[in-house]
């Protein structure tokens, strides 16, 4: 990979799978016992706030019992040592990338350890359970909700992501099914701007055909090997 200077990496649930964090579209298609549309849409939140808040409380609480894996650690090493531009865009809402040490990081679908005020839009770091109608520390309105980007809502920092993709020499997708846009379209944007494209995934994804190269296997093996191939 000669001449590579600017790298954009996209991760999905597969990068956290070896840390025992459930993926979305595993066997049975249920996400921790729920249909995604019952816990990850604005309608679900309006229809049953108790269920939705409890679902994310349970996942937030689980974070204390999981650890970053070799893939997270290799990406953090790359973040520390890569001399060019590097942006790690994750669809994941767990905190494993930052706990491994990644800094040049964007959570485009939000974060479990954050609360969003539906009234004033402010985001607040949040560690514990978040019952419905919790007061916002900034505006006082009882309108805090999980800071998760639901289906139909705009992901975070899309302009920053689009700019990085336009400048990228290499786009690497790790552990994502390519089922959800706009993330699933990033490979096409990167290719359009002339980037090399690489996919590291356990199974072929819905977007595999768009990648210049696809390597199949567990992220815990493929990612350290790829980072090593960059001389890091
Ligand atoms: N190593 C690498 N890849 C893996 C591993 C592993 N150990 N285990 C699973 N995978 C791959 C699967 O083959 C699959 O392609 O990870 C992918 C997980 O796909 P999904 O469960 O669909 O998760 P993701 O792609 O992150 O979902 C995207 O959908 O529900 C929304 O907002 C939610 O961010 C999520 C988005």
């Amino acid at each position: 990979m000669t001449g590579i200077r600017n790298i954009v990496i996209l991760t999905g649930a597969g990068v956290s799978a070896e840390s025992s964090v459930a993926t979305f579209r595993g066997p049975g298609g249920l996400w921790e016992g729920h249909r995604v549309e019952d816990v990850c849409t604005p309608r679900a939140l309006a229809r049953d706030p108790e269920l939705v808040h409890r679902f994310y409380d349970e996942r937030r609480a689980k974070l204390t019992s999981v650890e970053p894996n070799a893939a997270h650690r290799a990406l953090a090493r790359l973040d520390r040592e890569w001399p060019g531009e590097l942006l790690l865009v994750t669809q994941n809402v767990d905190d494993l990338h930052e706990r491994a040490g990644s800094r040049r990081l964007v959570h485009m679908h939000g974060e479990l350890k954050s609360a969003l005020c539906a009234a004033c839009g402010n985001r607040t770091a949040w560690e514990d359970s978040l019952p419905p109608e919790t007061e916002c520390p900034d505006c006082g309105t009882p309108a805090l909700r999980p800071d998760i980007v639901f289906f139909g809502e705009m992901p975070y920092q899309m302009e920053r992501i689009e700019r990085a993709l336009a400048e990228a020499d290499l786009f690497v997708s790790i552990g994502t099914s390519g089922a959800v846009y706009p993330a699933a379209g990033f490979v096409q944007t990167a290719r359009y701007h002339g980037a090399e494209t690489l996919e590291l995934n356990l199974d072929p994804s819905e977007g595999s055909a768009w990648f210049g190269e696809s390597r199949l296997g567990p992220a815990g093996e493929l990612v350290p090997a790829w980072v090593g191939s960059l001389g890091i």
Side-chain angles (χ1 to χ4, degrees):
M1 291 193 182
T2 56
I4 300 295
R5 177 169 163 63
N6 302 337
I7 303 176
V8 175
I9 300 163
L10 172 69
T11 61
V15 82
S16 296
E18 290 157 80
S19 298
S20 307
V21 176
T23 61
F24 290 85
R25 294 167 184 84
L30 285 183
W31 180 29
E32 306 224 16
H34 295 276
R35 294 183 318 143
V36 170
E37 56 273 25
D38 291 341
V39 290
C40 199
T41 64
R43 270 174 51 86
L45 180 62
R47 188 176 58 233
D48 192 344
E50 286 292 343
L51 169 71
V52 174
H53 279 248
R54 189 169 55 248
F55 178 70
Y56 291 99
D57 285 351
E58 287 163 3
R59 293 183 62 215
R60 188 179 308 108
K62 277 184 187 167
L63 290 181
T64 55
S65 59
V66 297
E67 295 295 327
N69 63 53
H72 296 106
R73 290 194 298 273
L75 291 173
R77 191 167 64 248
L78 181 65
D79 183 294
R80 267 193 311 277
E81 297 177 24
W82 185 251
E85 294 298 318
L86 181 129
L87 185 63
L88 172 54
V89 182
T90 188
Q91 299 173 91
N92 300 340
V93 294
D94 63 54
D95 60 347
L96 294 174
H97 281 308
E98 43 272 59
R99 283 168 57 192
S102 286
R103 293 287 172 269
R104 295 184 272 182
L105 170 65
V106 170
H107 279 276
M108 66 179 287
H109 288 168
E111 300 173 61
L112 285 170
K113 297 180 85 170
S114 173
L116 171 68
C117 178
C120 71
N122 280 17
R123 305 171 72 187
T124 308
W126 204 269
E127 299 278 340
D128 308 314
S129 67
L130 177 66
E133 299 185 19
T134 297
E135 269 193 25
C136 169
D138 297 295
C139 74
T141 313
L144 286 189
R145 55 166 270 192
D147 187 8
I148 302 296
V149 177
F150 289 151
F151 282 98
E153 295 182 330
M154 177 58 75
Y156 286 117
Q157 301 199 47
M158 282 305 294
E159 285 180 17
R160 178 181 177 194
I161 295 167
E162 298 286 353
R163 275 199 310 276
L165 289 169
E167 303 292 322
D169 304 306
L170 174 62
F171 173 72
V172 185
S173 177
I174 303 169
T176 182
S177 59
V180 173
Y181 285 81
F186 289 171
V187 59
Q188 297 168 50
T189 305
R191 279 177 68 108
Y192 173 78
H193 290 286
E196 288 183 45
T197 53
L198 170 65
E199 180 179 52
L200 308 177
N201 214 56
L202 191 64
D203 315 298
S205 73
E206 292 184 29
S208 289
W210 287 99
F211 286 87
E213 183 186 357
S214 271
R215 297 177 195 165
L216 298 184
E221 288 170 24
L222 293 183
V223 176
W226 167 64
V227 170
S229 75
L230 294 175
I232 303 285

